Amino acid sequence: MILILSANTDRNGAEFRQLMTHLEHLPNIQSRIHQETGTKQTLTEIYLIGDTLVLNEAEMSVLPCVERVVRVSEEYRVLGRHKGDNRPTSFEYNGLRFGQDTLHVFAGLCAVDTPEHVERMLKALQENGQVCTRMGAYKPRTNPYSFQGHGKKCLPYVFELAGKYGIKCIAMEVTHEAHIMEIKAALEQTGNPTGIMLQIGTRNTQNFELLKFTGRQHEFPVLLKRGFGITLEESLNAAEYLASEGNRMVIFGLRGMKTNMGDPHRNFVDFAHVPVIKRLTRMPVCIDPSHSVGARTRNPDGILDLMHVTAQGIVAGANRVLVDFHPEPSKALVDGPQALLMKELPYFLEDIRIAREAYEKRVKLAQANA
Ligand code: PEP
Ligand code: MN
């Protein structure tokens, strides 16, 4: 059960103390307080865990400070959508709003290699009106002898260049809690020129200790990628780990599944699940066409598979696209074969715009026919 308190409830006030004393006396019930401070108001929610079936909704709703009571019947207590639940489906970070109704493109380098390539990428993004990017510094690789990413060494120049080109949010994968500390330190050292969205990759979707640590920090939002060989339910539970530790700025990423049936692509593209995640949870949904398709295969209609699947995800309502670009793919240290080219950036953005417009028209059509 979730108690949603009136906005700006004072946690030091007498009424709040009265409420907490009442909750402490409920048998076999533990409560966990979650507070979210936005630009306009502070929202407080209390999660009641344990024998909540015996609690009476009407009685709970008249307790001091309580505005509304939501009975959580399904899984994903924090991130799920529940009956009568109108909690937000968006969050703000560094001046940007990420929601189930917004769309952001995170085009960039799969792996940071040289400052020159980083700068060429960021400059192109700025010229095309983009304020988000992806830059991999810590790369989990299948082969231990493959390039593992430049790690903390590259962070200062990546952050400074991002600031120079007006980037507000960089998606950066972390595979260990130490990486989060290194990112924090490098941001401070460079004067916080940009923002970071931590990325938990498909190989770490169920790394529960990493999830708990990442959830306990509330500074950076998190993109959690679906595990490539587990059920959707298991991946959504992994997202819930982040939120249950207090960080609800979570975006769920689809990046394809490992199955032989996906043979023509690196992974079996799963973007049909975009609306499903939006229905089950309050998370914005990201698609990653690069790691799904894995190649620059072009079709008889002249369109790359990469662009076909991106459009499919957008037409289904995706909120974010994470995509590999590279100024010189033949020199890329990771995933060159799937990188889009700098000159394709305006074309890619225009193709996305067309797909988004189609999605918006489809929503209007559905409303008119409801
Ligand atoms: C990536 O985005 O660079 C990446 C490694 O993705 P995934 O975890 O989906 O393989
Ligand atoms: Mn990659």
Side-chain angles (χ1 to χ4, degrees):
M1 180 177 276
I2 308 172
L3 306 183
I4 299 174
L5 308 192
S6 317
N8 301 319
T9 290
D10 176 8
R11 280 176 67 173
N12 296 313
E15 283 204 319
F16 185 79
R17 274 204 303 277
Q18 228 178 313
L19 170 66
M20 291 315 292
T21 310
H22 183 89
L23 298 180
E24 277 155 26
H25 286 93
L26 293 173
N28 304 323
I29 300 276
Q30 283 141 25
S31 48
R32 200 184 271 192
I33 304 174
H34 180 87
Q35 197 163 329
E36 233 169 87
T37 310
T39 41
K40 295 190 195 87
Q41 55 185 14
T42 298
L43 297 174
T44 309
E45 291 168 4
I46 302 183
Y47 289 81
L48 302 179
I49 302 157
D51 284 348
T52 54
L53 276 180
V54 299
L55 301 177
N56 180 300
E57 260 171 76
E59 281 171 19
M60 299 302 286
S61 66
V62 295
L63 291 174
C65 307
V66 176
E67 189 178 279
R68 223 152 30 84
V69 176
V70 177
R71 193 173 278 286
V72 184
S73 46
E74 306 91 19
E75 285 176 295
Y76 330 130
R77 282 164 205 268
V78 183
L79 292 173
R81 278 179 185 265
H82 309 289
K83 208 162 143 261
D85 185 358
N86 59 358
R87 291 174 298 157
T89 53
S90 67
F91 61 86
E92 280 176 30
Y93 174 68
N94 205 23
L96 301 173
R97 194 172 75 83
F98 296 99
Q100 286 194 337
D101 58 342
T102 62
L103 177 61
H104 293 89
V105 178
F106 283 64
L109 305 183
C110 175
V112 170
D113 42 32
T114 68
E116 292 71 26
H117 289 155
V118 172
E119 181 148 22
R120 278 170 70 186
M121 184 72 237
L122 298 177
K123 189 164 177 289
L125 288 170
Q126 188 182 50
E127 284 164 3
N128 285 279
Q130 298 302 301
V131 292
C132 299
T133 189
R134 58 159 296 151
M135 290 282 156
Y138 308 96
K139 299 303 301 177
R141 304 302 302 282
T142 305
N143 184 332
Y145 306 110
S146 303
F147 171 65
Q148 305 280 314
H150 286 310
K152 70 175 175 188
K153 276 202 316 273
C154 68
L155 300 182
Y157 73 75
V158 170
F159 295 168
E160 274 160 6
L161 286 169
K164 177 174 169 190
Y165 291 102
I167 297 293
K168 288 179 181 300
C169 189
I170 306 177
M172 185 170 274
E173 178 164 1
V174 290
T175 61
H176 191 276
E177 59 189 65
H179 301 157
I180 304 177
M181 309 318 287
E182 289 171 8
I183 288 171
K184 251 171 167 330
L187 278 174
E188 272 163 34
Q189 182 202 327
T190 52
N192 294 301
T194 186
I196 299 292
M197 169 119 31
L198 302 173
Q199 181 176 319
I200 297 196
T202 195
R203 291 159 188 82
N204 274 311
T205 309
Q206 285 188 311
N207 181 340
F208 299 117
E209 295 312 312
L210 179 63
L211 293 173
K212 285 186 212 164
F213 186 88
T214 311
R216 264 179 236 130
Q217 65 77 37
H218 302 161
E219 186 176 343
F220 306 116
V222 188
L223 166 66
L224 176 78
K225 294 238 193 145
R226 174 189 203 154
F228 53 29
I230 58 176
T231 64
L232 180 63
E233 191 184 344
E234 286 162 341
S235 290
L236 294 177
N237 268 304
E240 185 72 14
Y241 258 92
L242 295 162
S244 74
E245 294 291 341
N247 189 342
R248 135 179 345 175
M249 296 185 291
V250 185
I251 296 183
F252 191 80
L254 296 174
R255 48 83 70 214
M257 304 291 295
K258 254 195 196 315
T259 154
N260 287 344
M261 291 184 289
D263 272 354
H265 294 152
R266 184 173 172 182
N267 288 288
F268 192 82
V269 182
D270 54 351
F271 299 168
H273 287 179
V274 168
V276 178
I277 315 260
K278 291 169 82 172
R279 179 174 80 234
L280 295 175
T281 79
R282 300 180 294 123
M283 289 184 278
V285 182
C286 177
I287 52 167
D288 178 343
S290 306
H291 292 84
S292 300
V293 170
R296 290 178 50 86
T297 33
R298 196 181 296 276
N299 296 289
D301 58 13
I303 300 175
L304 294 173
D305 275 358
L306 271 165
M307 299 211 190
H308 266 304
V309 303
T310 303
Q312 286 158 13
I314 304 279
V315 162
N319 306 110
R320 168 174 168 181
V321 184
L322 185 75
V323 56
D324 291 359
F325 270 75
H326 200 284
E328 292 191 54
S330 62
K331 293 193 183 152
L333 297 177
V334 184
D335 285 348
Q338 69 192 25
L340 292 171
L341 314 175
M342 260 353 62
K343 65 168 194 251
E344 289 169 331
L345 182 59
Y347 158 41
F348 183 68
L349 294 171
E350 176 60 10
D351 201 34
I352 287 178
R353 197 196 57 71
I354 292 170
R356 177 70 181 178
E357 194 179 299
Y359 168 69
E360 284 165 356
K361 282 187 183 156
R362 293 179 59 228
V363 171
K364 284 210 185 90
L365 185 64
Q367 283 163 355
N369 284 280

